[in-house]
């Protein structure tokens, strides 16, 4: 079974919306405003590209990343990696041609089937609604959380407000950086 890893920039109060400056959110770009950039705090991002064998995205994140990431040197390892987009509305003609093999999955059942295939870890970037659905369905195996020392209030959250049984996590890696960022890597305990 493949490992499904959720990777997120997250505020201390759980917001994951518009970390890189995406339009339409009051605090857009919060990852680089008022926080000193320390390269070592982002080392996990390079490791993720080396360790992952595939990327999983929701439609909204795919539409935001696909025009930009294929040409960015810092995301070069993702270019050749197979990508999967979970969407009931995205059509094949809307897929970009310069970002490698991309497959549209229509349901969480198809994500569960993908996890059963041979291959290395699958990384999820962005995709707040997809992350919530994957977590609620018990499909996420690990979280890579880069926690920013910010309280953003309103905004899309990584975790849903669904009334469900407790889901236990095991901290397997952590680090704190001089700029206040914290890396927390959790395995989901089943």
């Amino acid at each position: 079974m493949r490992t499904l890893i959720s990777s997120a920039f997250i505020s201390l109060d759980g917001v994951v919306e518009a970390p890189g400056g995406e339009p339409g959110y009051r605090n857009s770009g919060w990852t680089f405003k008022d926080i000193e950039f320390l390269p070592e705090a982002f080392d996990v991002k390079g490791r993720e590209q080396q360790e992952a064998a595939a990327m999983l995205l929701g439609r909204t994140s795919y539409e935001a990343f696909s025009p930009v990431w294929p040409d960015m040197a810092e995301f070069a390892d993702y270019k050749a990696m197979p990508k999967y987009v979970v969407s009931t509305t995205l059509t094949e003609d809307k897929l970009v041609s310069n970002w490698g093999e991309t497959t549209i999955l229509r349901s969480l059942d198809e994500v569960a089937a993908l996890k059963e295939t041979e291959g290395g870890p699958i990384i999820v970037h962005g995709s707040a609604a997809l992350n919530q659905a994957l977590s609620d369905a018990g499909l996420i195996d690990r979280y890579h959380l880069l926690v920013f020392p910010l309280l953003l209030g309103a905004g899309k959250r990584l975790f849903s407000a669904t009334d469900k049984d407790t889901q236990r996590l095991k901290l397997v890696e952590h680090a704190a950086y001089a700029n206040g960022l914290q890396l927390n890597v959790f395995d989901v305990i089943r």
Side-chain angles (χ1 to χ4, degrees), residues 59-101:
R59 180 194 51 79
T60 301
S61 292
Y62 177 79
E63 289 174 345
F65 298 161
S66 64
V68 181
W69 280 25
D71 297 323
M72 293 179 72
E74 57 265 40
F75 299 123
D77 290 333
Y78 285 136
K79 190 165 185 169
M81 188 178 295
K83 281 158 278 306
Y84 299 89
V85 183
V86 182
S87 174
T88 58
T89 59
L90 186 67
T91 56
E92 295 283 334
D93 63 311
K94 299 296 182 186
L95 298 176
V96 298
S97 61
N98 65 333
W99 205 21
E101 174 191 346

Side-chain angles (χ1 to χ4, degrees), residues 2 24 32 52 69 103 122 157 182:
R2 299 173 82 166
F32 55 85
W69 280 25
T103 303
I122 303 164
R157 305 217 178 276
Q182 295 178 32

